[in-house]
Amino acid sequence: MQLIHCPWCGPREEVEFHYGGQADIAYPERPAELSDQEWAEYVFYRDNPKGTFAERWSHSAGCRRWFNAVRDTHTYRFLSTAKPRQKEVRV
């Protein structure tokens, strides 16, 4: 069992969290002008690197807040977590 550092609650067991996808995906500036292909790319296409990756997580069984994390997808180890718009904190 791994502990994940919630920026509001502190370290908690990983079963309390849910993965929310890749971090820093900007909403389209003019969504009405997107083609079906561009919408599909915005909604479904994400990076899938082996290594360090910026993600969004929710502390769904705790404070229910979203936060950003940097995780190594190869080792599953969390390298940092941070509140939205906050500088990342190493864990």
Side-chain angles (χ1 to χ4, degrees):
M1 181 73 55
Q2 178 176 211
L3 294 179
I4 298 175
H5 181 86
C6 173
W8 287 274
C9 306
R12 298 290 192 270
E13 293 185 9
E14 65 183 327
V15 295
E16 295 185 13
F17 295 86
H18 279 98
Y19 176 75
Q22 183 176 355
D24 303 324
I25 301 296
Y27 190 78
E29 288 186 29
R30 297 180 180 161
E33 297 177 7
L34 295 182
S35 68
D36 290 343
Q37 178 63 35
E38 291 168 326
W39 266 115
E41 290 177 10
Y42 169 72
V43 174
F44 299 112
Y45 291 20
R46 295 294 181 258
D47 296 338
N48 188 20
K50 182 178 181 180
T52 304
F53 192 50
E55 303 171 329
R56 294 207 39 165
W57 283 79
S58 169
H59 190 187
S60 53
C63 64
R64 305 177 60 98
R65 293 181 178 176
W66 287 92
F67 61 94
N68 294 325
V70 175
R71 184 175 63 94
D72 186 325
T73 60
H74 180 64
T75 63
Y76 199 73
R77 183 170 174 259
F78 282 79
L79 305 174
S80 65
T81 59
K83 297 175 184 175
R85 294 183 288 277
Q86 177 191 32
K87 188 174 181 179
E88 294 177 353
V89 178
R90 291 276 174 195
V91 293

